């Protein structure tokens, strides 16, 4: 796996040229590179290690051997919880978040989940629009859920019947 320096033309690849596969422990340094580029308050490598260890559904998006995104989901007792969907900023707005989300929801359906749940930052309008467009609806609010530079931000809790 190579570091995150990409030739300019690589960032223009279409979603059909990008491979989705299971995340492996060896991917974690590269997952962390993407996570840090995309989020001001990224998950730690230990969180990803724990997700792999307990058997959560962990996937990566790969472009020519470089990781450009990842997703993590827990499935249990008839529901799934989408925990992390992340696409490197240079690959955003190309349908990759939608592709990852649809894949994870298909895995959840196969695992007999009947409902999908997730949290999204109230300020993340692009993610909210994606989720809403895929059938998610707001069902609750988690006050002060996410850290920000100047305090905390609420999370909207969304659900979708599968």
């Amino acid at each position: 796996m190579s570091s995150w320096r990409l030739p300019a033309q690589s960032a223009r690849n279409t979603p059909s040229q990008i491979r989705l596969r299971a995340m492996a422990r060896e991917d974690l340094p590269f997952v962390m590179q993407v996570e840090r580029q995309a989020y001001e308050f990224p998950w730690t490598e230990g969180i990803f290690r724990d997700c792999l260890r307990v058997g959560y559904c962990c996937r990566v998006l790969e472009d020519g051997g470089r990781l450009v995104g990842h997703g993590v989901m827990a499935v249990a007792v008839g529901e799934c919880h989408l925990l992390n969907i992340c696409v490197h900023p240079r690959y955003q707005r190309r349908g990759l978040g939608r592709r990852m989300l649809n894949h994870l929801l298909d895995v959840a359906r196969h695992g007999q989940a009947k409902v999908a749940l997730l949290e999204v930052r109230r300020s993340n309008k692009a993610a909210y629009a994606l989720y809403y467009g895929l059938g998610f609806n707001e069902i609750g609010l988690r006050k002060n859920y996410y850290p920000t530079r100047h305090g905390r931000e609420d999370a909207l809790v969304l659900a979708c019947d599968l």
Side-chain angles (χ1 to χ4, degrees):
M1 199 76 45
S2 354
S3 72
W4 225 97
R5 291 202 176 109
L6 289 179
Q9 68 273 18
S10 290
R12 288 192 287 265
N13 284 352
T14 63
S16 62
Q17 296 172 305
I18 294 178
R19 186 169 79 114
L20 205 152
R21 65 169 175 81
M23 183 187 294
R25 203 173 159 92
E26 298 77 39
D27 294 323
L28 293 181
F30 307 102
V31 167
M32 291 308 303
Q33 287 178 16
V34 174
E35 184 82 0
R36 287 184 192 112
Q37 287 291 313
Y39 297 131
E40 187 174 6
F41 298 93
W43 276 16
T44 65
E45 188 170 327
I47 293 171
F48 285 103
R49 254 194 323 262
D50 287 346
C51 290
L52 286 167
R53 181 181 52 77
V54 299
Y56 288 172
C57 178
C58 301
R59 299 290 190 264
V60 294
L61 291 163
E62 194 175 52
D63 176 19
R66 289 189 172 88
L67 295 189
V68 299
H70 52 271
V72 177
M73 173 183 70
V75 181
V77 196
E79 67 181 41
C80 75
H81 195 145
L82 296 149
L83 302 170
N84 188 323
I85 296 176
C86 180
V87 175
H88 191 284
R90 287 182 59 191
Y91 280 77
Q92 291 176 2
R93 308 243 187 278
R94 293 185 169 94
L96 296 177
R98 178 182 304 276
R99 183 172 169 185
M100 176 64 76
L101 184 57
N102 281 328
H103 171 77
L104 292 173
L105 293 176
D106 286 344
V107 169
R109 285 182 194 99
H110 185 72
Q112 307 305 308
K114 302 293 183 219
V115 66
L117 300 164
L118 60 83
E119 292 88 17
V120 62
R121 283 181 184 271
R122 179 174 266 179
S123 64
N124 192 341
K125 304 296 184 202
Y128 185 89
L130 169 65
Y131 302 139
Y132 184 79
L134 290 173
F136 281 84
N137 292 296
E138 204 172 312
I139 62 164
L141 179 73
R142 297 193 197 284
K143 298 290 283 175
N144 301 314
Y145 188 76
Y146 290 110
T148 69
R149 283 187 189 189
H150 305 291
R152 309 285 297 175
E153 178 178 1
D154 296 343
L156 301 174
V157 181
L158 307 181
C160 178
D161 289 331
L162 299 177

